[in-house]
Amino acid sequence: MCGIVGYIGSQQASDIVIEGLRKLEYRGYDSAGIAALDAGRIALRRAEGKLVNLETLLRQQPVPGCVGIGHTRWATHGRPSETNAHPHQAGVIVVVHNGIIENYLELKERLIGLGHNFRSETDTEIIAHLIEQHFNDSGDFEAAVRAALSEVHGAYAVAVLCEAEPDKLIAAKLGSPLVVGQGQGEYFVASDIPAMLSHTREMVFLEDGELVVFNRSSMQVSTLAGTPLQKTPKTITWSPMMAEKGGYRHFMLKEIYEQPRAVADTIAGRLKDEEGDVHLESLGLDDKELQSLKKVFIIACGTSWHAALVGKFYIEKLARIPVEVDIASEFRYRDPIVDEDTLTLLISQSGETADTLAGLREAKGKGGRTVCICNVVDSSIARESDGVIYTHAGPEIGVASTKAFTTQLIGLYLFALRLGRVRGQLSAEECRRRVAELVSLPRKLETALELDVPIENIAKAFAHARDFLYLGRGNQYPIALEGALKLKEISYIHAEGYPAGEMKHGPIALIDENLPVVVLVPHNETYEKVISNMEEVRARGGRVIAVATRAETGLRDKCDALIELPETSDELMPILTSVPLQLLAYHVAVIKGTDVDQPRNLAKSVTVE
Ligand code: F6R
């Protein structure tokens, strides 16, 4: 969490840093700050609350200079306040940091003993003082940063300036993401690609333990110990427009509407029609290895974990391999049974989620094979996995995940088809039939999006409720969980997802006329059973919002609101039923006046445990 940006070049750094921070606000937004160097002097401004407060402050008290660093914070150590906001300064040194320093108390004690005075409650401030201490000893900025960072334990991405060497910006990373953007006579460094996209698409991805020293005309990457490294820039295909709202009121709404395109892009180039197969370009496992797999784990957090639950249905059905799904923070500590015939699939939009990354390392450490489904090119999880299936959702800025989720389901489906084919569980014809349905999905998603206005009306009728229940069976159960999570995250209404058949074992006690129950009831083999569960809700005065397929007649009388989707296969239906639940959560949140794109207490990229 937290976002950092650095700039060195010939433009005003504050404009560029603020513009970058705006793109990183999804990573945290409880306070923000900036420091710029001009004529050998550091000017620093910080403000509690959202970035807009810092922008207001900067209009009154600008910070000139062509070298600068900035930060948007998601509090870990110390409450959100101006004093705890970054950058943190110690003498001539100023630092922004994303991550957690685990041995900060021990270091702080030592530094206090050496006469350093601390002003904030943060772990970051010790980095500034530690660098200052080494700088006082050696008089060499770069050597001081190297020495200080070799003493800290934990995770960091840092950008550092020094008043005594005003034409230099130093950045380094260990465990937190950091990307360098190369412009014409200028350099950018940031926690994520969108922060720099409007200036350059040439990016260098730093690895853990690497440090980069910039001056205005050059940059040099090296290991923390000082060994120079040659890094080749990659050209990013995301366009700057992808990180803009493009006329939509919120990023989340834009991203919901982007799903037909995102799904089509994730499928594109991966279907082998003639062979009746699927091509996954960087899977990292050959056919023999795929054939020898005996077990699959799918590991993820939050919304990505919901995708994993659907993935279990896909892989078990199409490839007939047992699949275990785990929440990453549980997997990493439960000593899972992994061997060389076990594949661990990691799902992560950001590719930086700390628990998922730790799960990946746990699985690799036990000798298992790893593949990730990831949206961010060259992110930590993508780099460390043996193979990667990229989703092509484009940057997801809204904190509540939407298009990343549906494209993860596509990635999982493609992988299950490939696995089914290579293991002889699926004939070419069976694969071709599924692929034909898959190709028609973007159009059906567009039809689902046409329900926006009726769903907004449903939201108006139910937005006052204090609790919601979401029910689904089979592969719709994870979608019930996801629908409930979306509502909770952005409207702050308590919501629970439940397997419809499990309702009678407890949650039925909650049902009365005040509890809206969203029932996922597309036509499939458990249709009649879900209808019975719906009747059980109705019999107790509960109010039902049914999400069904259009062909169903007679459902209108059984519910208070009906959302009718186009038909698709049972396997792809979770992708379609996700859309009305995203729209319902969105409209309820808008009616309630919450901050849809940046809901309270959340951050998009959870890089802490
Ligand atoms: C919910 C949401 C989170 C993320 C979770 C994992 O809308 O976005 O629950 O899904 O934090 O993030 P990634 O997929 O980046 O690993």
Side-chain angles (χ1 to χ4, degrees):
M1 351 269 267
C2 302
I4 69 173
V5 180
Y7 173 76
I8 183 163
S10 52
Q11 304 187 56
Q12 280 302 306
S14 67
D15 297 342
I16 295 192
V17 168
I18 292 292
E19 185 195 337
L21 290 179
R22 227 176 270 134
K23 302 282 165 30
L24 296 183
E25 242 195 322
Y26 71 85
R27 300 178 68 86
Y29 32 82
D30 61 44
S31 55
I34 185 168
L37 256 170
D38 190 37
R41 302 292 303 165
I42 284 172
L44 195 146
R45 305 280 180 269
R46 302 184 298 195
E48 188 181 333
K50 295 206 164 187
L51 188 61
V52 63
N53 297 350
L54 177 66
E55 291 178 79
T56 308
L57 179 66
L58 283 171
R59 272 193 293 277
Q60 293 149 6
Q61 300 170 30
V63 288
C66 301
V67 185
I69 55 178
H71 187 272
T72 178
R73 179 167 186 251
W74 187 85
T76 56
H77 294 63
R79 69 196 161 80
S81 68
E82 199 246 309
T83 322
N84 287 332
H86 303 209
H88 288 285
Q89 185 165 9
V92 294
I93 302 293
V94 67
V95 174
V96 289
H97 166 226
N98 165 211
I100 287 186
I101 303 305
E102 286 160 6
N103 58 338
Y104 86 105
L105 282 176
E106 171 198 324
L107 291 168
K108 192 171 179 175
E109 229 167 81
R110 199 180 93 205
L111 288 161
I112 288 172
L114 290 167
H116 290 259
N117 289 319
F118 287 82
R119 284 178 285 255
S120 77
E121 303 156 283
T122 66
D123 53 341
T124 301
E125 198 184 350
I126 69 107
I127 305 179
H129 284 274
L130 199 56
I131 298 173
E132 187 204 15
Q133 181 62 42
H134 285 289
F135 182 74
N136 290 344
D137 294 344
S138 67
D140 181 337
F141 175 32
E142 188 181 324
V145 174
R146 290 185 194 282
L149 293 181
S150 64
E151 284 188 72
V152 301
H153 303 158
Y156 60 76
V158 288
V160 194
L161 300 179
C162 175
E163 261 181 1
E165 296 189 36
D167 285 330
K168 212 176 253 181
L169 164 64
I170 300 184
K173 91 164 220 104
L174 184 76
S176 299
L178 201 61
V179 188
V180 169
Q182 290 188 339
Q184 298 290 331
E186 57 185 358
Y187 294 98
F188 311 81
V189 64
S191 304
D192 199 359
I193 298 163
M196 306 173 283
L197 260 187
S198 57
H199 301 283
T200 179
R201 290 200 208 171
E202 297 300 299
M203 310 265 174
V204 173
F205 295 88
L206 295 182
E207 303 280 348
D208 281 349
E210 291 181 355
L211 177 142
V212 54
V213 179
F214 302 95
N215 58 43
R216 283 168 212 272
S217 56
S218 69
M219 63 174 259
Q220 175 63 59
V221 182
S222 56
T223 64
L224 196 55
T227 311
L229 299 167
Q230 288 308 319
K231 306 279 286 189
T232 316
K234 291 200 174 160
T235 306
I236 299 300
T237 53
W238 292 357
S239 80
M241 277 306 290
M242 286 170 135
E244 303 291 341
K245 270 192 214 154
Y248 287 90
R249 186 167 166 194
H250 295 101
F251 276 112
M252 181 179 176
L253 188 62
K254 175 183 172 241
E255 287 158 6
I256 291 173
Y257 270 86
E258 279 176 342
Q259 288 176 111
R261 193 271 313 147
V263 162
D265 285 357
T266 303
I267 300 168
R270 287 173 162 168
L271 306 179
K272 298 206 283 194
D273 213 27
E274 268 180 26
E275 294 99 312
D277 207 337
V278 160
H279 165 70
L280 293 168
E281 57 284 0
S282 41
L283 198 54
L285 271 78
D286 60 25
D287 287 3
K288 227 167 133 232
E289 287 170 308
L290 290 174
Q291 281 156 0
S292 68
L293 295 176
K294 302 224 163 39
K295 181 176 174 182
V296 176
F297 275 111
I298 319 183
I299 311 300
C301 301
T303 287
S304 299
W305 175 67
H306 297 153
L309 293 170
V310 178
K312 175 179 167 77
F313 283 89
Y314 289 164
I315 294 171
E316 290 194 339
K317 179 167 181 201
L318 302 177
R320 306 303 296 162
I321 308 182
V323 178
E324 235 184 282
V325 177
D326 229 327
I327 288 179
S329 53
E330 294 295 321
F331 178 82
R332 61 183 293 190
Y333 290 117
R334 75 172 173 87
D335 195 12
I337 302 167
V338 173
D339 63 21
E340 60 199 5
D341 296 328
T342 306
L343 172 71
T344 303
L345 254 184
L346 296 306
I347 307 182
S348 177
Q349 185 284 129
S350 61
E352 300 294 346
T353 301
D355 286 317
T356 312
L357 186 58
L360 160 67
R361 289 174 182 163
E362 174 74 16
K364 275 186 100 170
K366 287 182 173 269
R369 308 304 311 272
T370 55
V371 170
C372 72
I373 295 181
C374 189
N375 194 41
V376 179
V377 174
D378 262 4
S379 53
S380 302
I381 293 174
R383 280 200 312 266
E384 288 192 30
S385 300
D386 298 324
V388 50
I389 302 168
Y390 280 118
T391 49
H392 296 294
E396 192 179 62
I397 313 281
V399 164
S401 186
T402 52
K403 62 176 180 171
F405 176 66
T406 43
T407 54
Q408 284 166 350
L409 297 186
I410 297 292
L412 282 159
Y413 195 58
L414 292 172
F415 179 64
L417 289 173
R418 179 83 260 276
L419 212 51
R421 286 293 288 127
V422 77
R423 292 170 71 93
Q425 295 291 337
L426 212 55
S427 69
E429 190 41 43
E430 284 167 324
C431 185
R432 239 177 252 128
R433 201 162 24 83
R434 286 178 165 87
V435 157
E437 193 55 40
L438 192 56
V439 168
S440 71
L441 193 63
R443 194 172 33 79
K444 292 178 181 176
L445 283 164
E446 272 162 17
T447 312
L449 287 166
E450 286 165 14
L451 297 167
D452 195 359
V453 173
I455 291 172
E456 187 178 0
N457 290 332
I458 295 172
K460 283 180 190 152
F462 291 93
H464 60 275
R466 285 188 47 199
D467 308 275
F468 270 69
L469 185 62
Y470 287 70
L471 299 176
R473 270 180 189 250
N475 63 16
Q476 293 296 332
Y477 161 52
I479 306 305
L481 292 177
E482 173 60 7
L485 179 65
K486 286 288 89 90
L487 189 74
K488 272 188 273 215
E489 282 184 297
I490 59 168
S491 75
Y492 316 144
I493 294 176
H494 167 249
E496 273 190 68
Y498 240 83
E502 187 66 10
M503 182 184 62
K504 56 188 171 294
H505 298 287
I508 199 162
L510 296 172
I511 295 194
D512 65 13
E513 63 284 1
N514 298 316
L515 184 78
V517 184
V518 180
V519 186
L520 299 168
V521 59
H523 200 93
N524 59 25
E525 58 180 17
T526 57
Y527 176 74
E528 300 295 342
K529 302 210 182 302
V530 184
I531 292 291
S532 305
N533 301 137
M534 217 165 95
E535 297 285 15
E536 288 158 13
V537 173
R538 298 264 293 162
R540 284 153 186 86
R543 302 177 65 200
V544 171
I545 302 164
V547 179
T549 27
R550 245 185 231 157
E552 291 317 324
T553 51
L555 208 56
R556 201 165 286 278
D557 305 336
K558 295 191 170 77
C559 56
D560 298 86
L562 178 62
I563 297 168
E564 292 173 294
L565 292 167
E567 281 191 282
T568 184
S569 65
D570 182 40
E571 288 159 13
L572 296 180
M573 204 63 208
I575 301 169
L576 276 189
T577 49
S578 299
V579 174
L581 302 197
Q582 295 165 349
L583 287 169
L584 181 65
Y586 173 77
H587 287 299
V588 170
V590 171
I591 292 163
K592 294 201 73 188
T594 58
D595 190 338
V596 171
D597 282 335
Q598 294 170 353
R600 69 184 180 202
N601 304 337
L602 293 177
K604 188 146 190 77
S605 179
V606 186
T607 51
V608 295
E609 237 195 270

